[in-house]
Amino acid sequence: MNLVKHIAIIMDGNGRWAELQDKKRVKGHEAGAKIVKEVTTYCSHNKEIERLTLYAFSTENWKRPRLEVEFLMKLLDNYLKNELEVYLQNNVRFEPIGDIRAFSKSLQKTVKMVEQKTAHCDALVQSLALNYGAQDEIIRAVNSLKNSKADITVQMLSNALDCKHNVDLLIRTGGDKRLSNFLLWQAAYAELFFVDTLWPDFSVKELEKIVKKFKKVERRFGGLK
Ligand code: FPP
């Protein structure tokens, strides 16, 4: 049976969830943040899961209306400040990926504060992808290696990425079947699960069902059985 060490999730469908209930899109993001907490807590108590990487804000999300972007920034700031206690209680290390230099100074400060205060935690690493795009990540990594005298190897590039760990299981909620510039390198051999559930309706129960299916998949990594 496959081990599920690294789960990555594209949390899609917040806006549609809210619109279906005649609510503003941002209400969907608010509801989505609650599921982030539930799923993180569950993963922190599951000994097999070492990493949970969540797509919270992409390099493309800046194209959204200004008010929605501002709301997401505020939500993230509040979430991190409020959750610090929960991270510590559940022994969760927070490790952001992405280029947070585009964020306001105060949000950058919050991100770094939570990262530092949870640096000793070791039950789970929760990575939020913040102003993250896989193409941007790979370009930043390549640029950081451009003065290398030796030819660049797979290992060198892997180590230069924000996320240095291969993904075992990648889930996308919300019904679409695409990767949307998320962990393109690290998902090279990930098992992909696309579910119709909108992110605010996602649950630990559904995650458990997906993990159960994942465990039975025959992973060959390009080899033979
Ligand atoms: C996609 O839904 C979701 C996002 C762009 C943001 C993800 C944010 C959260 C889950 C909540 C905040 C998270 C944290 C960690 C505080 P969408 O808006 O694209 O939904 P749609 O496809 O229905 O429009």
Side-chain angles (χ1 to χ4, degrees):
M1 289 238 264
N2 302 316
L3 287 181
V4 64
K5 292 189 182 173
H6 187 181
I7 299 178
I9 309 183
I10 301 175
M11 310 180 286
D12 197 17
N14 294 346
R16 277 167 288 161
W17 180 90
E19 280 157 10
L20 279 171
Q21 309 183 39
D22 279 331
K23 290 182 182 161
K24 294 214 164 90
R25 288 178 53 80
V26 293
K27 286 285 166 200
H29 297 315
E30 228 167 56
K34 292 204 183 100
I35 311 302
V36 170
K37 179 178 177 169
E38 281 175 32
V39 167
T40 304
T41 303
Y42 166 78
C43 291
S44 71
H45 292 123
N46 181 316
K47 295 245 175 316
E48 197 178 309
I49 304 169
E50 296 171 1
R51 293 187 167 265
L52 174 68
T53 304
L54 303 170
Y55 210 0
F57 193 87
S58 77
T59 45
E60 286 73 38
N61 284 151
W62 298 105
K63 295 179 199 154
R64 294 189 175 210
R66 184 178 56 85
L67 285 178
E68 184 169 340
V69 170
E70 279 174 13
F71 183 90
L72 280 167
M73 296 296 141
K74 192 81 210 124
L75 181 65
L76 185 62
D77 197 58
N78 287 339
Y79 177 86
L80 288 171
K81 283 177 180 154
N82 292 333
E83 290 313 291
L84 175 59
E85 218 37 57
V86 182
Y87 281 113
L88 293 171
Q89 271 162 18
N90 293 308
N91 200 11
V92 175
R93 186 158 91 229
F94 168 67
E95 229 178 61
I97 58 169
D99 188 355
I100 62 163
R101 291 172 300 180
F103 287 175
S104 70
K105 287 274 177 295
S106 79
L107 181 52
Q108 288 185 46
K109 207 169 137 194
T110 305
V111 169
K112 285 185 188 139
M113 181 274 288
V114 177
E115 188 179 9
Q116 278 159 13
K117 293 215 161 148
T118 61
H120 63 285
C121 295
D122 61 3
L124 176 80
V125 178
Q126 186 224 50
S127 280
L128 292 184
L130 303 173
N131 190 30
Y132 175 88
Q135 292 175 341
D136 177 67
E137 176 191 37
I138 291 168
I139 290 300
R140 283 187 285 107
V142 169
N143 279 326
S144 76
L145 295 172
K146 72 181 174 207
N147 295 327
S148 156
K149 297 248 172 354
D151 284 351
I152 296 169
T153 62
V154 166
Q155 202 50 54
M156 280 163 75
L157 186 58
S158 268
N159 288 339
L161 294 170
D162 300 346
C163 174
K164 304 170 193 359
H165 308 272
N166 286 332
V167 173
D168 296 305
L169 168 60
L170 191 149
I171 301 167
R172 181 181 185 130
T173 62
D176 288 326
K177 295 186 177 65
R178 54 175 171 259
L179 293 179
S180 299
N181 204 10
F182 189 45
L183 300 175
L184 299 182
W185 175 279
Q186 300 85 343
Y189 278 101
E191 298 301 328
L192 309 181
F193 281 72
F194 299 99
V195 295
D196 288 334
T197 312
L198 304 173
W199 177 250
D201 288 330
F202 194 73
S203 61
V204 163
K205 214 167 167 182
E206 186 161 6
L207 176 62
E208 282 180 321
K209 268 194 208 157
I210 295 171
V211 169
K212 214 166 158 185
K213 282 192 200 155
F214 161 87
K215 289 199 149 286
K216 293 192 188 135
V217 172
E218 191 190 295
R219 301 186 79 191
R220 291 191 298 275
F221 298 95
L224 298 178
K225 200 175 154 194

